[in-house]
Amino acid sequence: RPPPTACHQPGSVCEAAMSRLARALGQVVLLSVAIAQDRDGGKEMVITNIMHDDPEGHVLWDEQNNRPVQFWRGNYSDVNTISCHRSGDLLFDWSALKRAMINWLKEMLRQTNRVMQVYWEAIRPVQHALTNIVAFHNITTSRDCILGMLSVRIFYMTVQSQRYREHEMIESNNFVIDWYYYVHKFRWAYLSRSGWGSVLWPSLSLISSYAKDATPHMSWVDCESLPGAEDLIFLGNNYDAPIASTEQLRRLMSVLEAAEQELERVRACPVAFAYGATVVSLVSSDLEVALQYLDLAQKFIRQ
């Protein structure tokens, strides 16, 4: 296994974020949403894993206003702005919200006996702010800390009932919009640098676990193993340490680099390829290479 670097020191922010991403993508339940006509001529929501003809050309529609969804027009590449360290919002302390959510998610993922204690110590004091953001702020037009609002909306589903999660994911258009922001608008390397990745990735991991337990008929696996690296990336292997040598790492990187030039092949196994890229990101000894493969994973998952 490649020698550890600062990114892999136990307990480091980078190591924790990468580990949570690998866990999240290893468990994530992908839902493609399409609108179909029912017998009465009305519209109903259909959940399907049928590939879209043009993944990059899909237009999200605002049914209420009968127009395309109006997305945030800010600079998605400005890490300082999207990090919200110095927010101009007088209503919310975004740094405090971020710390509270991260602290509770750590306990949840570790399944410690301090889950409820940390919830009351960290989440309850900011519960009113979280509810306000979810209930009264339009994520498509808000101007301050758009990534913070997106993170809160995703996180909020982890502490609500399964009925609420199903409503957000299946019956309303909210989760589709949030997912589009997450996959198509914000680069994952910037999510990691901003610190909000430590909220988004473990939250998605918990949501996918809840969904698999509650609605197993809606959970699916695109491929049992990664084409071209079947012995390295396969269903059920240890996501914490799937690569045992530098030679294996180089071989996996070669497979992924070749796949980047043939995205049609990726479309048959987008989750498997994205997971493979996050594995490289997790074990890479170079932070810039790690972030590069994080972006490659995002490119694969878009398919």
Side-chain angles (χ1 to χ4, degrees), residues 20-77:
R20 291 183 192 122
L21 175 62
R23 181 192 298 266
L25 281 180
Q27 297 179 341
V28 73
V29 176
L30 291 180
L31 300 177
S32 297
V33 181
I35 299 295
Q37 296 293 325
D38 62 22
R39 294 180 181 179
D40 298 326
K43 293 181 178 179
E44 60 179 4
M45 194 70 77
V46 177
I47 303 300
T48 174
N49 59 1
I50 298 174
M51 296 295 181
H52 193 279
D53 291 338
D54 181 11
E56 298 291 348
H58 179 62
V59 177
L60 294 181
W61 197 258
D62 185 341
E63 294 290 335
Q64 183 175 358
N65 296 309
N66 193 30
R67 65 179 184 182
V69 170
Q70 305 297 297
F71 288 101
W72 182 60
R73 296 181 181 179
N75 185 353
Y76 291 84
S77 301

Side-chain angles (χ1 to χ4, degrees), residues 206-254:
L206 290 176
I207 291 169
S208 68
S209 297
Y210 297 152
K212 285 199 300 184
D213 292 340
T215 53
H217 60 286
M218 293 175 60
S219 176
W220 58 277
V221 175
D222 56 359
C223 294
E224 296 288 334
S225 60
L226 179 65
E230 291 83 357
D231 59 322
L232 299 179
I233 304 297
F234 54 89
L235 190 65
N237 69 335
N238 184 2
Y239 59 81
D240 280 332
I243 303 300
S245 68
T246 302
E247 180 183 353
Q248 288 183 340
L249 178 60
R250 288 174 179 167
R251 184 155 60 89
L252 177 57
M253 293 172 70
S254 178

Side-chain angles (χ1 to χ4, degrees), residues 118-180:
V118 174
Y119 181 86
W120 281 98
E121 292 176 351
I123 301 301
R124 286 297 296 176
V126 298
Q127 182 72 51
H128 185 65
L130 297 177
T131 302
N132 264 342
I133 292 170
V134 172
F136 301 114
H137 287 71
N138 187 337
I139 197 168
T140 65
T141 59
S142 294
R143 293 293 180 266
D144 188 78
C145 201
I146 187 68
L147 188 50
M149 291 188 180
L150 171 64
S151 300
V152 167
R153 284 161 63 95
I154 299 293
F155 170 83
Y156 200 74
M157 287 196 286
T158 68
V159 295
Q160 298 301 312
S161 67
Q162 180 61 25
R163 181 69 190 92
Y164 177 88
R165 287 190 286 269
E166 290 178 1
H167 176 271
E168 289 295 298
M169 296 175 66
I170 301 174
E171 298 174 24
S172 75
N173 205 39
N174 293 336
F175 184 77
V176 179
I177 296 173
D178 295 346
W179 181 260
Y180 193 86

Side-chain angles (χ1 to χ4, degrees), residues 1-20 22 192 239-243 246 249 253 277-291 293-294:
R1 194 172 187 181
T5 66
C7 185
H8 301 93
Q9 293 300 323
S12 70
V13 173
C14 179
E15 186 271 343
M18 296 299 183
S19 179
R20 291 183 192 122
S192 178
Y239 59 81
D240 280 332
I243 303 300
T246 302
L249 178 60
M253 293 172 70
T278 60
V279 168
V280 174
S281 179
L282 176 65
V283 302
S284 174
S285 59
D286 186 298
L287 180 58
E288 292 303 320
V289 172
L291 295 177
Y293 274 84
L294 207 54

Side-chain angles (χ1 to χ4, degrees), residues 289-302:
V289 172
L291 295 177
Q292 174 188 339
Y293 274 84
L294 207 54
D295 283 339
L296 181 58
Q298 181 181 23
K299 184 176 182 179
F300 288 153
I301 212 70
R302 286 174 178 170

